[in-house]
Amino acid sequence: MPGPRRQLVLTVDQSGRGDHRRIQDAVDAAPANSSPGSVVIRIKPGVYREKVAVDKPCVTLVGTSASSTVITWNESWVAAESPTVSVLAPDFIGKRLTFQNTFGTSGPAVAMRVAGDRAAFYGCRFVSFQDTLLDETGRHYYRGCYIEGGTDFIFGNAKALFDKCHLHSTSLVGGAFTAHKRSAESEDTGFSFVGCKLTGVGKGTSILGRPWGPYSRVVFALSYMSSTVRPEGWDDWSDPTKQRTAFYGQYQCYGEGSKTDGRVAWSRDLSQAEAARFITKVWVGGQEWLR
C-alpha cells in the first residue's frame, strides 16, 4: 500500500530567511512531474520585481495577502515572454497574490497570461490597463478576485468561470471589460461571470465586451453593474457580420448599468434554462478538477 503523498513546501522571502529570494528560483526548484497539490510555494510579503514563468505542472503559489504580496513588472506586450506572470503548465493554483504590470495606458501590457489547463485563482488581484488578464487557453476558475483595467482587460480564448469577482474599469472613454476570441462555433470556449461586481471611474465609459473572434462568447449572470456600463452593452468591433455569430448574454443582473432596454439588438436576455449551463462550476468541468 503506497504511503501518504509528500508535499514539497518552498518559501520565498526577499530578506533571505526562506528557501529562495526570487519566485522564479522556487518554480525552477519544483519537480517536473508533480501531482496536483504536491508543490506549494509560499511567498512572504513584499514587492517582487520579476517576471515569472510557471512551466511546471501542479504548482501552487500562495501569498500572505493580495495587498502585501505583489509580483510586478513594467513591459508592453511585444512577445510571448512579456507578461509579468505566465502560467504555461496545467493544474496551477494562485492564492492571495497581486499580479501587476505598471506599463501604463499607452499600449497593451499583460499582468497575467494563463495558458495551462485547470488553473484556479482565489483572492488574487490583476492590475494593468490594456489587456490586463490574458485568459488564453484551457479551463480556468477565478473566485473572489479583483481585475482592473481599461481596454479589453479580460481577453483570450479560454473557457473561464469568474465567481464573485470585482471588475473595475479605469477607462475614461471607449473602455471594454472583455474581448473573447473564439474563432469557430466548434470551439468550446467562453467567459462566464457569475455574482460579480462591475464598477468604474466614469459613467457610461465601458462596454461589457467586443468580439476579438467572430464567435466570441461572454455571459454575465446575477451580477451588479454600475453606471460605468454603457446602455448598449456590447460592440461588434466595426464588423457587423460578427453580430450574427457572437454570443453575448445577460441573466438577472442588477444595478444602473444592467438595464437591457438599451442593449444592442443582437445580444441576449437569457432565460433560466439558457443561463443554466454557464452559471455553475460545471461550465469549466470544475467538478472533476477543482479541489
Side-chain angles (χ1 to χ4, degrees), residues 75-141:
E75 184 176 323
S76 65
W77 187 32
V78 292
E81 300 76 36
S82 296
T84 303
V85 176
S86 298
V87 174
L88 308 172
D91 298 298
F92 172 87
I93 297 174
K95 294 181 179 179
R96 301 187 295 275
L97 292 162
T98 288
F99 307 101
Q100 177 178 278
N101 193 323
T102 57
F103 182 72
T105 60
S106 60
V110 179
M112 166 60 75
R113 174 189 175 204
V114 192
D117 194 22
R118 301 182 301 271
F121 297 85
Y122 303 90
C124 289
R125 296 173 74 248
F126 305 84
V127 181
S128 184
F129 182 76
Q130 185 174 342
D131 298 348
T132 303
L133 173 57
L134 172 49
D135 197 66
E136 188 171 32
T137 183
R139 294 165 295 168
H140 308 144
Y141 178 69

Side-chain angles (χ1 to χ4, degrees), residues 33-50:
N33 54 351
S34 303
S35 56
S38 62
V39 179
V40 177
I41 298 172
R42 298 194 176 279
I43 306 169
K44 294 291 186 182
V47 177
Y48 293 81
R49 288 185 173 82
E50 60 173 301

